[in-house]
Amino acid sequence: MATERNSNAALARGQPAQRPPPVEEILYDPVVNSVRFYIVRYASSTNGETAWVDEGAVAGSPQALAKYQAWRKHTTADLSQFYVLLGEAQAHRVTVTNTVDSVGYPDNFTYINENIYSDEVPRPCTPLFHCGCTDGCVSKCPCVQEVCYDGDGRVCVPPSVPLMECGPKCRCGPECRTRVVQRGIQLSFEIRRFALKGWGVMTKHNVARGTFIAEYVGEVISFEEAERRGLEDTAVGLTYLFDLDMACTSTEAADFSVDAKTHGNVSHFFNHSCHPNMEIRPVYIDHRDPRLHRLAFFSTRDIAAAEELTFDYSPNARSLADEAHNVKFACHCASKKCRSFIYF
C-alpha cells in the first residue's frame, strides 16, 4: 500500500513515519473489484470534500470507525455504485444515505456535470461582446444588461430578469463578480432516501437567500422529442423535463428542453414542495442564444443546514387543477401550504 511504502521510505531516511491525518467522518465503504475502500472526510477538510482510502487510513481513527460501524448496521442498501459514479464525476461534495429501504442507485442514470446535446439540437454560436473591464464588471459592462449579483455572489434581480455572466473570452478574469453559475457547485450536499418521497437532497451548510445552489443539467433535446418523452414520463409521475422558454410568450412553445431523467447531477434528486426554498433561473454565459439558455437553482430564502432543498414542480397548480386532462399524484411534502397533489 502507498501508506506502507511511504512509511518505510521515511524510516530509511531516519525520519519518523508520517501518520495518516485523523478522519472526522466515514461516509461509506464501497467494494470495487473485490477491494474494500472507505470514503472519508478529514478533520482538516475546509470545503466538505471527501477522499477514498484503504483500511489502514481509518485504523488510526477508532471513534470515527466505531460510529460508522454502528450506523452501517442499519443500512441494507448497497450504495457502492452510487459512490463509484459520483467519484468518476469528481462530485466529492456529495454524499449518499439510505436507511429506509434497499434501493442503492437509480436505474439507468449517469451522473454528469454539464449539459449534453442530442444530435438534433444546434450548438450555441451567437457571438459575445467580449469585455475588457478592469473594475470587476461593476459598471457599464457590455456583457450584462444590469448587475445580477451582489458583492457576495447572491442574485439581486427579479425572476423575470435573465442572468447574464461574462464569457470565457472576456478579459475581466475569473474573480469577476458576474461569474457565479459558471464556477460550479460550491456547496456540499447529502442525497438521502425518504420513505414516501424517494431520493431528496439536504444541504450541509446554512445557505443565505439568493445563493446559487446548482445548475440543472441533463440532455438538451428538441421540442418533438420532449413531447414524446413527456407523454411517457408524466403517466408515471417521473418527468424531469424543463423547457428552455425564457424568450417564449405564453402562447409559444419552447424549441428545446433539458431532460435530466437519465443524465444529470445532484439537481436530478431535488424534491417537490408546495412551499419551496429554491427557484430556477435562466442564465446566459458563453453565448446569448435565447433558445438555449442554461438553468440554475437559487435559494429564495435563508436555508438552515440539514434542511431539504426543494422547488415547486407545479407552480401553475391552480390552473392545472382546473384542467381535467392533467395527471395528478399525491404530494408528500408535508409543508403547511401543501396542496395535497402534484399536477403534471
Side-chain angles (χ1 to χ4, degrees):
M1 294 184 297
T3 302
E4 187 174 16
R5 288 197 298 270
N6 292 338
S7 298
N8 290 339
L11 290 173
R13 294 193 299 269
Q15 300 174 355
Q18 292 185 352
R19 296 181 179 180
V23 172
E24 181 178 49
E25 183 182 13
I26 301 174
L27 303 169
Y28 199 66
D29 58 333
V31 177
V32 182
N33 296 329
S34 301
V35 178
R36 184 174 301 279
F37 294 89
Y38 289 86
I39 300 174
V40 304
R41 180 178 294 109
Y42 291 114
S44 58
S45 175
T46 59
N47 54 14
E49 291 189 350
T50 58
W52 287 56
V53 301
D54 58 24
E55 188 172 1
V58 301
S61 303
Q63 291 183 337
L65 184 58
K67 182 179 179 180
Y68 173 73
Q69 290 173 337
W71 171 85
R72 191 70 169 86
K73 293 178 181 179
H74 302 287
T75 303
T76 59
D78 183 1
L79 303 175
S80 296
Q81 182 63 14
F82 218 140
Y83 274 107
V84 167
L85 293 176
L86 287 173
E88 291 176 348
Q90 300 294 306
H92 300 308
R93 296 176 182 269
V94 182
T95 60
V96 189
T97 301
N98 181 2
T99 59
V100 300
D101 58 29
S102 60
V103 176
Y105 190 74
D107 293 334
N108 191 29
F109 179 75
T110 301
Y111 197 100
I112 59 175
N113 293 311
E114 58 185 24
N115 285 326
I116 58 176
Y117 293 81
S118 60
D119 293 339
E120 67 269 20
V121 178
R123 302 303 184 266
C125 59
T126 302
L128 278 176
F129 295 99
H130 309 308
C131 80
C133 300
T134 59
D135 62 352
C137 299
V138 297
S139 63
K140 298 181 179 179
C141 175
C143 296
V144 297
Q145 297 175 358
E146 61 181 290
V147 176
C148 299
Y149 308 113
D150 65 18
D152 295 314
R154 297 168 190 158
V155 68
C156 59
V157 292
S160 59
V161 177
L163 305 179
M164 303 287 185
E165 300 193 3
C166 286
K169 295 183 179 181
C170 293
R171 299 178 182 177
C172 50
E175 300 306 316
C176 168
R177 66 181 292 177
T178 75
R179 302 179 188 272
V180 173
V181 174
Q182 63 190 267
R183 291 176 185 162
I185 291 173
Q186 303 295 312
L187 304 176
S188 295
F189 307 104
E190 176 189 341
I191 299 175
R192 181 183 298 181
R193 186 76 175 173
F194 293 90
L196 296 177
K197 299 187 295 183
W199 297 108
V201 181
M202 324 292 286
T203 173
K204 295 187 177 183
H205 311 273
N206 292 327
V207 179
R209 178 180 179 179
T211 298
F212 168 60
I213 305 295
E215 184 177 354
Y216 190 77
V217 302
E219 184 183 4
V220 183
I221 57 177
S222 67
F223 168 80
E224 292 77 16
E225 180 63 13
E227 286 288 286
R228 186 189 69 79
R229 296 185 188 185
L231 291 174
E232 295 178 355
D233 296 341
T234 298
V236 292
L238 289 175
T239 182
Y240 292 90
L241 288 166
F242 257 111
D243 291 337
L244 301 180
D245 57 1
M246 178 61 203
C248 298
T249 66
S250 59
T251 59
E252 294 177 327
D255 290 337
F256 308 106
S257 300
V258 177
D259 186 5
K261 180 181 179 181
T262 61
H263 294 78
N265 62 1
V266 67
S267 65
H268 166 94
F269 303 96
F270 288 158
N271 257 325
H272 163 82
S273 175
C274 298
H275 187 49
N277 51 28
M278 298 188 302
E279 65 184 0
I280 199 158
R281 307 285 293 262
V283 187
Y284 295 92
I285 298 175
D286 48 2
H287 67 87
R288 295 294 187 264
D289 188 333
R291 305 169 304 161
L292 291 165
H293 58 77
R294 288 156 69 169
L295 298 167
F297 284 102
F298 287 81
S299 56
T300 55
R301 60 172 174 81
D302 292 345
I303 305 173
E307 187 176 346
E308 186 178 9
L309 297 168
T310 59
F311 70 102
D312 193 341
Y313 288 9
S314 308
N316 301 317
R318 187 177 300 276
S319 61
L320 291 174
D322 295 334
E323 298 178 16
H325 67 275
N326 282 305
V327 180
K328 67 178 182 179
F329 294 88
C331 178
H332 301 289
C333 74
S335 73
K336 293 181 180 180
K337 298 184 178 181
C338 182
R339 299 186 294 258
S340 300
F341 294 99
I342 304 172
Y343 295 88
F344 294 98

